[in-house]
Amino acid sequence: MNAKTSKRLNMKERYRIMTRDLGWEPSYQRYEDIFPQESFEGIKIVDWDQWEDPFRLTMDNYWKFQAEKERKLYAIFDAVSQNNGQMKISDPRYLNAVKLFITAVTPLEYNAYKGYARVGRQFGGVGARIACQMQSIDELRHTQTQIHAMSHYNKYFGGMHDFPHMFDRVWYLSVPKSFFEDASTAGPFEFLTAISFSFEYVLTNLLFLPFMSGAAYNGDMNTVTFGFSAQSDEARHMTLGLEIIKFILEQHEDNVPIVQQWLDKWLWRGYRLLSIVGMMMDYMLPNKVMSWAEAWTLYYEEAGGALFKELERYGIRPPKYADQTVIGKDHVSHQAWFIFYQYGHATAFNTWIPTAKEMDWLSEKYPDTFDRLYRPRFELLAEKAAKGERFYNNTLPQLCQVCQIPLAITEPDDDTLLSHRDTVHDGERYHFCSDGCRDIFHHEPEKYVQAWLPVHQILQGNCGGADMAKVIGDYYRIEMGEDNLDFEGSAEQRRWAAWKQAV
Amino acid sequence: MSVEIKTAEITPVRQTYGHTKRRFGDKPATRYQEASFDIQPTTNFHYRPMFDEHHELYDTGYTLLTMEDWYAFSDPRQFYYGAWVAARAKLQESTETNFAFFEKRDLGNRLSDEARRLVTRCLLPLRHAELGANMNNVGIAANAYGTTLSQAHMYHGMDRLAVAQYLSRIGLLIDDTPGLLLAEAKSLWMDDPAWQGVRRYVEDSLVVEDWAELSLAQNLIFDGLLYPFLLESLDERLLDIGGGDIAILTDFMGDWFKDGSRFIDALFKTLAGESEANRTQLTRWVAHWRSRAVEALTPVAIEAGIELDAALAVLDKRLAKLGLLETH
Amino acid sequence: MSRVFIALQDNENARFIVEAISEDNPGAEVKHSPAMIRVEADDRLTIRRETVEEKLGRDWDTQELQVDMISIGGNVDEDDDSFTLYWNT
């Protein structure tokens, strides 16, 4: 930091000189040729100078703070790999959450890096552009620290070894992939609304805080450390999300309905995506932190409530179908785990029936739904498994055209009935899991008809033929008997037992 | 309590990730390798970009150049985020020491008026050019295919923002009323005939769509001429007129340029080495942008009372070494 | 009325920062969970540089918060002397 002298300007003035004052009005090229993506979404920006910089971070301090974070982080990674830190983990089933993370979330960080680089070039306002650039490079940091955090675990456990390959191909990974590509292929303002606001500000706490606490409760030092370290960047990103929304809304009243539609869309899309996190919290963490329903109440209903109250004065209402997410919080994690359990031969992680103690925890956390709807189902499956008839579903499910989750989620007003919507577009019938997803399709059918739906692709022979064993083994690179199937009797279980003997 | 682990019996199942193994062999990989190669999505993209329906989200077609393998480029500095930020924090620390020294000794007051004037007229306007360099490199990071190419440009882009900000701090530091000299420099950038060539070059570069051409126009040609001019010719000139202390403040630019040039040289060596078609295309771009850069910077050199020749000789030597200079 | 909050990594620095927050914001509620400290307040929460410096016994830049801060709720207003979270409602 600089010596404090009488000549020193205050932080705001200094930051103005260091950022937006660097910009200028071009005259040799047209503004719209330099920033060609700024106007096509219909968002009207009257004056970029109204942009408020939330964190006035210049590169000198950025380097200094970030280097300090990285030093601490890599010291832990080194310690874990030098001391067989993987053996401190509570229960080998826990690692399956890590496998899901590196295949489903780490590639999203990479997409975020690229997306923010684009917007960090495309916005006409210098302040907003630089905020996006810093987020871009942070997202690259998260990608790489996650790869490095899990590098050691990859040496001892399955399911992580081909995460970029799997992300592009495996059926359930098309859920996060299509989610992020939807944002990345949109214009810069929708991208920021989707990722900075809806995802980072409204939903990111639901991903990182439970995941990190879960790691802490289950002895995963690397994940706790990278998680907290990443989250310290996240506080900056969240603020960018709130500032960009306020900025767009303040710029022009015509922006309000456009933003409202994006908020409706992206809350729903984010909510569907996070079913995977709900399942991870309720089923995959041997030592539980809190239930998905509790997390949704705390981080969405309470924190999000304050936020949408703040936005009311711009004419923004809470996202459409938010009420359905509140009903759904008692169901989604169970329904998601049930999907993965029955397709556990096509997953890059192990699946299992919750233990009796775990089922009791679920009963306690979900008094209205678990004993009535889900416990009987798991007990039946457990009985079959005990007889050597572990259930694997060999038929391919129908997927939602938008969120790409199998149509196995129930109606908001009837939890015994599967929710299914459809519509005909250009003579072709499309299927959806919900009103929320169907609305999204109707708004931009030309976009969603393009979706790469894994089941359709398998049926069309684009994933290595009709033989599912080949699709899973060759096309997905999921190694049969090593990466997939039930945890009970798995290679992971056997190896862990042997290693524990050696400890 | 520490637990005694009989490590011999806890043996790894694999040495590294599958994609890393396929590229580098079945052995423990470096952090640069694991974090940089084959991690970008390659296929089954869901939707065409709404801002560019002719390309996929990640597309090799954002340049005319072609490569058999886009990961053939490897950053000689092996910068992944952690390595980059550590190197830059070190640079930042020594630069802060220099700035603090300059300020504490009140070296700004020792500058001759002529030196202050030269800094204002010939160095400070470049903070705007550096912002252009920032935008160009970040744009390349967005469009270039593959993580090794993309990330190196991203680091380079953030570095340029830092250079622009340090140049601003120089302007504040030597100013009796902080902000006045920077305002004067900005009006030169906007309106002074001596600077219009550079501003035109920068604005023209901002609309170049081919990322490889853009990296060449910005990082190889423009910087390749500008930095030797600043670091050698302008430095000497300042020394002559009682402004030698400015070198304390611009010292970091020399270190940074040397470091960045390692990346840029490796980049164009790889691209040109791939095929004759690439080399021909690059040579054509070099011919175009080199003469434009000379034209742009000549009035600035005249303003500074310096010949551009020495800097041009440095650039030409570099281009010749890369085999990209047309010889007639 | 809405709640603003800041969550910090539970480390040596954070203990002093939280102490400073509690002193300057009498209504603030401090919640401890594993590896994390969360401080909440109604509508507004201010971290003052002077108080933190007093607690830490050294110079402290408000931007240093970024190293330990893991989440926030509320609008941000930051200058040389303070860091404030607030809701307008």
Side-chain angles (χ1 to χ4, degrees):
Chain A
M1 250 132 286
N2 305 309
K4 290 167 190 168
T5 69
S6 55
K7 283 207 294 187
R8 198 183 174 188
L9 302 166
N10 71 36
M11 189 192 279
K12 285 180 188 173
E13 181 55 19
R14 203 176 132 79
Y15 187 76
R16 188 192 66 76
I17 286 175
M18 303 281 225
T19 53
R20 61 183 67 187
D21 190 47
L22 299 171
W24 72 95
E25 293 262 338
S27 60
Y28 298 105
Q29 291 290 341
R30 296 184 315 160
Y31 181 92
E32 54 273 34
D33 293 331
I34 294 178
F35 304 108
Q37 295 179 22
E38 198 177 289
S39 59
F40 80 90
E41 298 166 276
I43 291 292
K44 294 176 182 163
I45 300 301
V46 182
D47 182 10
W48 273 111
D49 278 343
Q50 300 299 311
W51 168 261
E52 276 288 331
D53 299 298
F55 285 99
R56 298 178 184 85
L57 195 56
T58 44
M59 282 309 291
D60 44 8
N61 273 350
Y62 180 86
W63 283 338
K64 185 176 154 165
F65 295 150
Q66 296 298 107
E68 191 180 332
K69 292 182 193 174
E70 289 281 286
R71 261 195 308 274
K72 290 180 182 171
L73 181 56
Y74 280 88
I76 300 287
F77 293 170
D78 285 340
V80 166
S81 54
Q82 286 158 12
N83 294 292
N84 271 322
Q86 77 279 11
M87 298 312 295
K88 304 258 177 13
I89 281 165
S90 61
D91 175 323
R93 289 181 304 161
Y94 165 78
L95 265 313
N96 291 291
V98 177
K99 297 172 195 177
L100 190 56
F101 194 93
I102 194 168
T103 51
V105 180
T106 303
L108 300 187
E109 305 272 15
Y110 189 82
N111 281 317
Y113 152 62
K114 293 284 277 190
Y116 280 98
R118 174 170 65 88
V119 183
R121 166 63 184 80
Q122 286 293 333
F123 272 158
V126 186
R129 215 159 60 217
I130 288 174
C132 289
Q133 292 176 5
M134 284 194 181
Q135 177 154 356
S136 171
I137 198 115
D138 288 340
E139 302 289 359
L140 178 60
R141 167 178 193 242
H142 301 174
T143 313
Q144 296 184 326
T145 54
Q146 286 163 23
I147 293 170
H148 291 150
M150 291 163 194
S151 169
H152 180 72
Y153 297 156
N154 170 60
K155 292 176 181 165
Y156 295 90
F157 303 96
M160 306 175 211
H161 49 79
D162 277 284
F163 67 91
H165 178 93
M166 289 179 184
F167 180 73
D168 279 342
R169 294 166 181 83
V170 175
W171 61 280
Y172 54 91
L173 297 175
S174 81
V175 174
K177 181 173 159 84
S178 64
F179 169 89
F180 218 101
E181 289 182 2
D182 191 351
S184 295
T185 52
F189 290 104
E190 184 178 350
F191 177 78
L192 253 72
T193 305
I195 305 303
S196 291
F197 184 77
S198 295
F199 200 70
E200 299 271 6
Y201 203 98
V202 185
L203 300 175
T204 195
N205 281 333
L206 278 154
L207 173 61
F208 274 94
L209 297 182
F211 192 79
M212 279 183 298
S213 310
Y217 277 65
N218 289 282
D220 174 2
M221 189 63 123
N222 274 2
T223 300
V224 179
T225 316
F226 92 66
F228 274 123
S229 196
Q231 197 64 27
S232 67
D233 303 335
E234 223 66 50
R236 244 187 299 119
H237 304 170
M238 290 168 70
T239 309
L240 171 61
L242 185 53
E243 289 303 325
I244 189 75
I245 283 291
K246 289 192 296 186
F247 174 73
I248 302 173
L249 293 171
E250 279 166 12
Q251 283 289 302
H252 203 286
E253 60 186 20
D254 291 356
N255 296 342
V256 176
I258 302 176
V259 170
Q260 181 72 60
Q261 193 270 326
W262 287 340
L263 294 180
D264 293 349
K265 166 180 172 181
W266 287 101
L267 177 79
W268 189 255
R269 229 122 152 43
Y271 166 69
R272 274 287 184 255
L273 174 67
L274 290 185
S275 328
I276 296 176
V277 181
M279 163 185 104
M280 190 272 295
M281 289 173 70
D282 285 345
Y283 286 87
M284 299 175 82
L285 296 181
N287 295 335
K288 316 283 186 202
V289 179
M290 59 165 70
S291 70
W292 169 250
E294 287 166 334
W296 189 257
T297 307
L298 180 66
Y299 293 114
Y300 179 72
E301 291 172 57
E302 288 172 15
L307 177 64
F308 285 105
K309 213 160 94 190
E310 174 88 0
L311 296 178
E312 248 172 42
R313 65 206 180 106
Y314 300 103
I316 290 292
R317 53 160 174 74
K320 201 174 173 184
Y321 303 121
D323 53 330
Q324 292 193 13
T325 67
V326 177
I327 298 169
K329 74 183 175 186
D330 287 327
H331 298 281
V332 285
S333 63
H334 317 296
Q335 294 173 358
W337 187 243
F338 186 63
I339 295 172
F340 281 97
Y341 179 84
Q342 53 183 305
Y343 291 104
H345 49 312
T347 54
F349 54 87
N350 298 127
T351 46
W352 58 87
I353 299 282
T355 63
K357 203 175 135 211
E358 286 163 348
M359 283 209 246
D360 290 345
W361 181 84
L362 289 163
S363 299
E364 185 200 320
K365 295 294 178 185
Y366 294 95
D368 298 334
T369 55
F370 189 74
D371 284 351
R372 180 167 57 88
L373 296 164
Y374 305 110
R375 180 189 281 273
R377 212 183 284 178
F378 285 123
E379 286 176 346
L380 188 68
L381 289 168
E383 267 174 48
K384 287 183 67 122
K387 283 189 281 182
E389 298 164 18
R390 201 298 193 180
F391 175 64
Y392 290 107
N393 191 338
N394 286 309
T395 62
L396 298 179
Q398 175 80 256
L399 303 179
C400 173
Q401 186 72 27
V402 172
C403 72
Q404 310 209 3
I405 293 175
L407 299 181
I409 298 173
T410 50
E411 288 284 358
D413 57 0
D414 184 351
D415 57 25
T416 60
L417 189 66
L418 290 184
S419 172
H420 184 180
R421 304 285 181 276
D422 62 8
T423 199
V424 174
H425 174 79
D426 267 352
E428 188 98 30
R429 187 170 297 277
Y430 296 93
H431 303 270
F432 310 98
C433 69
S434 57
D435 294 329
C437 282
R438 190 178 56 183
D439 279 7
I440 293 168
F441 180 90
H442 276 157
H443 197 259
E444 288 175 281
E446 65 291 346
K447 182 167 199 175
Y448 298 99
V449 298
Q450 301 172 49
W452 190 91
L453 288 179
V455 171
H456 285 44
Q457 297 293 330
I458 292 169
L459 294 173
Q460 287 167 22
N462 296 333
C463 303
D467 177 1
M468 275 311 289
K470 283 213 163 101
V471 172
I472 295 165
D474 300 343
Y475 189 69
Y476 291 171
R477 289 194 178 133
I478 292 174
E479 206 181 321
M480 186 59 77
E482 275 290 324
D483 297 329
N484 59 354
L485 305 182
D486 203 294
F487 178 74
E488 205 49 55
S490 67
E492 302 275 276
Q493 189 186 35
R494 274 198 311 279
R495 268 197 292 264
W496 180 265
W499 289 335
K500 273 291 178 191
Q501 299 260 305
V503 171
Chain B
M1 189 190 78
S2 76
V3 182
E4 190 66 27
I5 296 177
K6 288 174 246 159
T7 47
E9 296 175 46
I10 302 176
T11 45
V13 178
R14 60 184 71 72
Q15 302 293 331
T16 184
Y17 294 110
H19 46 283
T20 320
K21 178 176 112 179
R22 287 188 287 279
R23 183 174 286 277
F24 296 105
D26 193 5
K27 56 186 184 208
T30 66
R31 284 198 165 132
Y32 177 66
Q33 289 170 340
E34 285 196 339
S36 311
F37 291 85
D38 305 298
I39 60 167
Q40 181 167 292
T42 58
T43 188
N44 300 335
F45 297 109
H46 291 270
Y47 323 103
R48 287 262 157 182
M50 289 163 77
F51 44 87
D52 182 358
E53 59 185 30
H54 304 296
H55 290 101
E56 292 281 13
L57 184 57
Y58 303 131
D59 200 311
T60 57
Y62 282 110
T63 174
L64 285 174
L65 304 186
T66 54
M67 294 289 288
E68 182 75 28
D69 170 16
W70 282 98
Y71 287 97
F73 168 73
S74 177
D75 186 342
R77 304 163 303 176
Q78 304 199 35
F79 275 171
Y80 58 96
Y81 179 92
W84 168 70
V85 93
R88 293 302 177 256
K90 215 171 135 197
L91 182 66
Q92 184 261 349
E93 212 179 323
S94 62
T95 306
E96 292 306 330
T97 308
N98 288 352
F99 271 65
F101 177 82
F102 189 96
E103 194 173 8
K104 197 172 160 196
R105 299 286 175 95
D106 202 14
L107 299 182
N109 270 333
R110 261 179 38 177
L111 288 181
S112 69
D113 286 348
E114 198 187 349
R116 185 174 287 115
R117 199 179 134 72
L118 183 60
V119 170
T120 308
R121 295 196 65 86
C122 295
L123 185 65
L124 299 184
L126 286 168
R127 62 201 271 270
H128 306 293
E130 288 295 316
L131 185 77
N134 158 264
M135 291 167 69
N136 282 335
N137 278 292
V138 171
I140 295 166
N143 285 340
Y145 192 85
T147 311
T148 56
L149 281 165
S150 173
Q151 71 176 342
H153 282 96
M154 193 69 204
Y155 305 139
H156 212 58
M158 299 315 280
D159 287 347
R160 309 313 289 269
L161 178 61
V163 175
Q165 292 179 337
Y166 275 119
L167 285 174
S168 307
R169 283 177 60 183
I170 294 174
L172 294 175
L173 202 53
I174 62 166
D175 204 341
D176 292 329
T177 312
L180 281 188
L181 293 181
L182 290 176
E184 189 188 333
K186 188 166 185 176
S187 73
L188 296 171
W189 171 256
M190 291 310 292
D191 301 315
D192 193 278
W195 280 98
Q196 296 319 294
V198 174
R199 185 157 71 86
R200 180 189 289 269
Y201 188 103
V202 172
E203 288 183 19
D204 288 353
S205 72
L206 289 170
V207 299
V208 171
E209 286 181 3
D210 187 304
W211 68 258
E213 179 182 5
L214 181 54
S215 187
L216 177 144
Q218 174 71 58
N219 300 319
L220 181 61
I221 302 295
F222 187 76
D223 299 341
L225 186 58
L226 173 70
Y227 274 76
F229 166 73
L230 292 179
L231 297 168
E232 288 161 40
S233 312
L234 189 68
D235 227 34
E236 270 174 38
R237 176 93 187 102
L238 279 165
L239 191 62
D240 290 343
I241 60 171
D245 292 339
I246 288 292
I248 298 171
L249 303 178
T250 53
D251 190 42
F252 78 95
M253 291 170 80
D255 294 343
W256 175 79
F257 181 67
K258 196 173 145 202
D259 177 272
S261 297
R262 261 187 244 144
F263 145 51
I264 296 301
D265 284 341
L267 169 66
F268 287 99
K269 199 175 157 197
T270 308
L271 294 174
E274 174 79 1
S275 64
E276 265 323 294
N278 280 6
R279 186 176 297 278
T280 306
Q281 184 60 60
L282 286 163
T283 308
R284 205 174 292 148
W285 283 330
V286 163
H288 172 72
W289 289 103
R290 179 185 168 281
S291 68
R292 287 214 45 191
V294 171
E295 193 187 330
L297 277 166
T298 298
V300 176
I302 292 170
E303 177 75 21
I306 311 167
E307 296 280 322
L308 199 55
D309 296 4
L312 186 59
V314 174
L315 172 64
D316 283 350
K317 195 174 153 200
R318 193 173 167 195
L319 292 172
K321 204 174 159 200
L322 288 168
L324 295 176
L325 198 61
E326 266 179 348
T327 43
H328 295 290
Chain C
M1 187 200 73
S2 293
R3 299 285 270 179
V4 295
F5 74 89
I6 182 167
L8 299 167
Q9 276 192 68
D10 191 356
N11 58 26
E12 192 68 11
N13 254 349
R15 275 189 278 281
F16 293 108
I17 296 170
V18 169
E19 210 181 302
I21 298 175
S22 299
E23 191 171 306
D24 290 333
N25 304 268
E29 189 186 345
V30 181
K31 294 177 176 172
H32 289 266
S33 49
M36 181 172 101
I37 312 177
R38 184 176 157 111
V39 188
E40 292 184 12
D42 288 338
D43 293 325
R44 196 171 192 89
L45 189 83
T46 297
I47 302 171
R48 292 177 59 239
R49 180 175 56 79
E50 265 190 3
T51 320
V52 177
E53 287 185 342
E54 207 175 280
K55 301 289 171 199
L56 282 170
R58 64 168 173 89
D59 283 355
W60 184 75
D61 186 320
T62 51
Q63 295 203 325
E64 282 182 57
L65 257 185
Q66 303 202 6
V67 178
D68 303 313
M69 178 166 58
I70 48 183
S71 187
I72 49 175
N75 297 291
V76 172
D77 187 22
E78 183 196 37
D79 61 27
D80 295 296
D81 298 320
S82 63
F83 178 94
T84 300
L85 292 163
Y86 66 96
W87 291 120
N88 291 305
T89 36

